[in-house]
Amino acid sequence: MFQNKIKFLPIIIFLILSQTPFHAQGTYNHEIAVTFISAGCFDTTYRLSRRQVPEYSSHQSYVIDKFVYKIRITIKLSGNGIILDRPLALTCYYPPNGSKTIIVNQENYPLNSDEDYEYMMVVKTKEKGWAKISVCGWDEDNLRLKYFDGIKYIDSSFYFE
C-alpha cells in the first residue's frame, strides 16, 4: 500500500507545482535598462611623491593622484506604452568603494518606451577597475532612491581602463 502511494507522489508534486505561480525574469511588462556605457579618461591629476630620491638636481617626482572619466550612459525604457514622467537616479559604483549619483529628468518630461536617453557623468577615481551603473527612481519628497512598482531595473557594468 505504501509503494502505491509513492508511485503517485511525483504526479501529486507536479500538480501542486503547476498551480503555484512562478515569476520568471522576463515576465515584467515594463523595464528601464542601462543599454550602453562609454567611459573615457580625459584627465589625470598628479601629486608630489612622498618618497623623494636624493639627487643633485632639483628634480621632483610625481605620482598619479586621480583619473577623471567622462561617462556616457544610455538608458532605454521598454514595455507596452510605458511613459515615465518622474525623476530617475543614475548611480555609478566605482573602485575603491566610491559612488556618484546624478538625478535626471527633474523637469518630469515624459520619457517614452522604445527610445534611448543619453546622460553624461564625470567621475574621479584613484584606481582603475570594474564599475557598475545602476538606474532607479528618485523620490523628490524624501530625497532618496525609490523603486517604482511594476518596473524592472537592469544595471550594467564596465571597466575603467
Side-chain angles (χ1 to χ4, degrees):
M1 178 136 171
F2 182 70
Q3 291 179 352
N4 290 339
K5 290 181 182 179
I6 291 178
K7 290 180 183 178
F8 290 111
L9 185 63
I11 295 171
I12 292 171
I13 291 174
F14 174 74
L15 290 174
I16 291 172
L17 290 178
S18 66
Q19 300 300 318
T20 306
F22 289 102
H23 299 286
Q25 188 173 4
T27 60
Y28 283 85
N29 291 332
H30 305 297
E31 62 185 25
I32 301 173
V34 177
T35 57
F36 181 75
I37 301 170
S38 69
C41 184
F42 71 92
D43 192 12
T44 305
T45 60
Y46 296 89
R47 64 176 165 76
L48 191 61
S49 176
R50 291 184 184 168
R51 293 184 350 183
Q52 294 294 323
V53 177
E55 295 180 3
Y56 294 107
S57 65
S58 62
H59 182 267
Q60 295 179 339
S61 69
Y62 293 90
V63 294
I64 294 174
D65 183 37
K66 291 182 183 173
F67 299 102
V68 183
Y69 290 91
K70 184 186 293 185
I71 305 170
R72 186 174 308 226
I73 305 160
T74 304
I75 64 171
K76 185 173 188 170
L77 285 69
S78 56
N80 296 333
I82 180 174
I83 297 175
L84 186 70
D85 59 352
R86 303 175 195 162
L88 294 172
L90 298 174
T91 304
C92 180
Y93 299 99
Y94 53 90
N97 300 323
S99 69
K100 181 174 182 176
T101 300
I102 60 170
I103 309 303
V104 298
N105 197 30
Q106 293 182 26
E107 301 83 12
N108 295 335
Y109 293 126
L111 304 177
N112 299 315
S113 63
D114 298 326
E115 289 188 28
D116 294 336
Y117 296 94
E118 187 175 282
Y119 302 100
M120 300 288 287
M121 177 187 295
V122 175
V123 171
K124 296 177 185 177
T125 180
K126 293 183 182 241
E127 295 179 18
K128 297 181 179 187
W130 283 100
K132 178 175 110 172
I133 298 290
S134 175
V135 61
C136 69
W138 178 252
D139 185 358
E140 293 176 307
D141 299 327
N142 298 317
L143 301 178
R144 62 186 174 106
L145 303 176
K146 178 180 180 179
Y147 293 93
F148 301 119
D149 291 335
I151 298 178
K152 180 180 179 183
Y153 300 91
I154 301 173
D155 304 333
S156 186
S157 299
F158 65 100
Y159 191 81
F160 280 127
E161 293 183 13

